[in-house]
Amino acid sequence: MAKPPPAETQADALVLFGATGDLSRRMLLPSLYFLDADGHLPADFKIVGSARTALSREAFVAEVRKILEARPEPIDDGVWERFSKRLDYVAGDATTKAGATELKPHLKGFARPMFFLAISPSLYAKVCTALGEAGLAHDDSRVVLEKPIGRDLESSRALNEAVGQVFSEERIFRIDHYLGKETVQNLIALRFANTLFEPLWNNLTIDHVQITVAETEGVGDRWPYYDEYGALRDMLQNHMLQLLCFVAMEPPADMDPRSVRNEKVKVLRSLRRYTRAEAQACSIRGQYGKGVVAGKEAPSYESERGKTTTTETFVALRVDIDNWRWAGVPFFMRTGKRMPEKRTQIVIQFKPVPHSIFGDGARNDMVANRLVIDLQPQEDIALTLMNKLPGVSKGGMRLQSMPLSLSLLSTYEGPGARRRIAYERLLIDVLHGDNTLFVRRDEVEEAWRWIDGVADAWAEAGMTPKPYAAGSWGPAGAFALIERSERAWLD
């Protein structure tokens, strides 16, 4: 195996495979421009776009300009002049040695390239093998893989093994853009930089945790991919389990990548495995039918798919972590398409006070403390506290709940600052060889092992998706799932 790159060694070039694709257009190329604008790219850093689309360098540069002009932020002409000079383009089939070899003249003089595979995961192994055969995968190069890595444990192992034949584990960056969000990183700071929260972060004071990832859009033209994966494998296996790990992990010894990722793996290994009985009692599968979303009629999944299918577009689960910290604390997770609003949210619900000293009226006012971490559509962290209701009231003191925003974005970015794209943070980390916020191979495989167990339990129990109207919060069973424990989803 090749040695990992030194931590202080910066990459000096980026090859973006899938440069004409949706991810590159929406996220990656704008992120690179903003990193250049903020002075985060080395002076001679080069960006080489690569795709099968036949384009000249000039045409690619013009296309990038159009992408940036379509964004709300104005283009700085000085930044654009510098950024555009970094851009290059190579058309070809990177899954072959000949196609990868065509990149070599464009990387002449660049010793530490990073390869970003914004392409179908089914092509990862072929592209990495081609890079190795072309002599581009060497000691100081690194590769970025978009998730999901495989469809199940078996395919994930095969893919990781193929990529691992070319790149050592320390040079493989499995990216999950959720982990680049400021609020996820603020969660780490809140837990481990404050004596206020960490002593309370356990089953003695926390009642339950909710994690919601709701999307208003449907599957649309993505149905060939989505019909194979479904909501369980598409969203819950990667994004949601990663969020769960950051909420539930033990304090790492330090912020070294190995320390942080070791603690995340411990959480995944502590997840209670699903049985047939637990699948029936603790999970709900759903599939959206026609309905109304944001005031517009929305078609059913089957009409988008073109035929009847048993793919779920909604999942709600109760997850239990069998360790000392979290014993008895349920984690409720739900994700779905065609929901009434776009929302990615973590709710830490604390237990109520054991005894109220206030009168009957105030007792009815009492609300347990709650920490709400919003990732989408806006990033924020808010803590709900109890406070005295101002004024004089009959029958003694009355109380009110008061949300306290803990978001520091406006403080350190400045009023009206641009919200960073999550990929900006992660691209900087790849540039410097820091894989703390990236997913290690054993993490991926432990997540798949648990997800495969859920899917197997569904199959054994004969559970098929329940219908729900587009624009609703899923099947009725999703509410019963949490309500039977006398809890409720946060509105």
Side-chain angles (χ1 to χ4, degrees), residues 53-372:
T53 306
L55 287 175
S56 64
R57 177 193 177 276
E58 293 72 21
F60 177 65
V61 171
E63 188 63 27
V64 174
R65 174 83 186 197
K66 289 180 183 177
I67 291 169
L68 297 175
E69 287 176 341
R71 294 187 59 84
E73 305 90 352
I75 296 177
D76 183 294
D77 290 335
V79 174
W80 170 250
E81 182 179 0
R82 181 176 66 241
F83 183 70
S84 62
K85 290 178 181 177
R86 301 181 186 275
L87 299 174
D88 199 354
Y89 185 80
V90 179
D93 182 0
T95 63
T96 66
K97 178 181 178 180
T101 302
E102 291 180 13
L103 293 166
K104 296 187 76 171
H106 299 264
L107 293 174
K108 187 176 181 180
F110 295 90
R112 300 177 299 278
M114 47 193 275
F115 302 100
F116 198 117
L117 275 57
I119 55 179
S120 169
S122 63
L123 302 177
Y124 289 172
K126 292 181 179 179
V127 171
C128 289
T129 299
L131 290 172
E133 293 173 344
L136 292 172
H138 49 72
D139 286 356
D140 291 322
S141 60
R142 56 204 76 165
V143 65
V144 185
L145 307 179
E146 274 285 337
K147 295 176 71 180
I149 308 296
R151 185 187 178 276
D152 51 25
L153 179 58
E154 182 180 357
S155 60
S156 177
R157 280 176 170 166
L159 196 157
N160 280 319
E161 186 66 28
V163 175
Q165 293 294 320
V166 183
F167 295 91
S168 64
E169 179 62 29
E170 292 82 2
R171 295 187 292 127
I172 300 172
F173 293 76
R174 298 173 188 86
I175 198 166
D176 186 336
H177 71 274
Y178 273 42
L179 304 189
K181 292 183 177 294
E182 291 286 354
T183 42
V184 173
Q185 295 165 61
N186 264 337
L187 172 60
I188 300 173
L190 281 174
R191 284 195 60 188
F192 304 129
N194 298 284
T195 57
L196 176 65
F197 288 106
E198 186 55 27
L200 306 178
W201 213 262
N202 54 53
N203 56 5
L204 299 178
T205 54
I206 292 179
D207 178 79
H208 72 279
V209 177
Q210 300 177 24
I211 302 177
T212 295
V213 179
E215 301 175 284
T216 55
E217 65 269 18
V219 175
D221 294 336
R222 291 181 66 236
W223 70 258
Y225 159 82
Y226 197 88
D227 205 57
E228 180 183 0
Y229 281 76
L232 180 71
R233 292 180 168 91
D234 177 57
M235 187 63 70
L236 202 140
Q237 184 274 335
N238 47 71
H239 300 319
M240 298 186 75
L241 285 185
Q242 284 294 310
L243 296 179
L244 180 146
C245 284
F246 276 106
V247 171
M249 71 181 188
E250 295 296 318
D254 49 40
M255 282 300 290
D256 180 84
R258 288 170 297 181
S259 300
V260 173
R261 299 197 290 184
N262 285 346
E263 298 305 331
K264 290 163 65 183
V265 170
K266 290 179 185 177
V267 174
L268 294 171
R269 289 177 177 167
S270 299
L271 298 181
R272 185 180 300 171
R273 307 302 176 187
Y274 260 56
T275 63
R276 173 180 177 177
E278 286 177 329
Q280 293 173 318
C282 301
S283 69
I284 297 294
R285 301 177 74 192
Q287 185 184 103
Y288 63 80
K290 63 180 181 179
V292 178
V293 180
K296 297 181 180 179
E297 291 189 7
S300 67
Y301 177 72
E302 286 190 354
S303 66
E304 292 175 328
R305 171 66 180 86
K307 68 175 185 180
T308 300
T309 175
T310 58
T311 299
E312 77 281 348
T313 63
F314 176 91
V315 177
L317 301 174
R318 171 177 170 150
V319 180
D320 288 274
I321 301 175
D322 290 332
N323 61 23
W324 279 30
R325 181 183 290 265
W326 296 111
V329 178
F331 284 66
F332 295 99
M333 306 174 73
R334 61 175 174 173
T335 181
K337 299 282 189 182
R338 295 290 192 204
M339 300 279 99
E341 64 181 75
K342 184 179 182 68
R343 182 198 301 180
T344 300
Q345 185 179 73
I346 303 170
V347 178
I348 313 296
Q349 180 64 62
F350 292 92
K351 293 180 179 180
V353 295
H355 171 68
S356 174
I357 65 173
F358 305 99
D360 291 339
R363 192 174 294 117
N364 295 331
D365 298 332
M366 293 287 289
V367 176
N369 300 135
R370 178 189 297 133
L371 182 67
V372 178

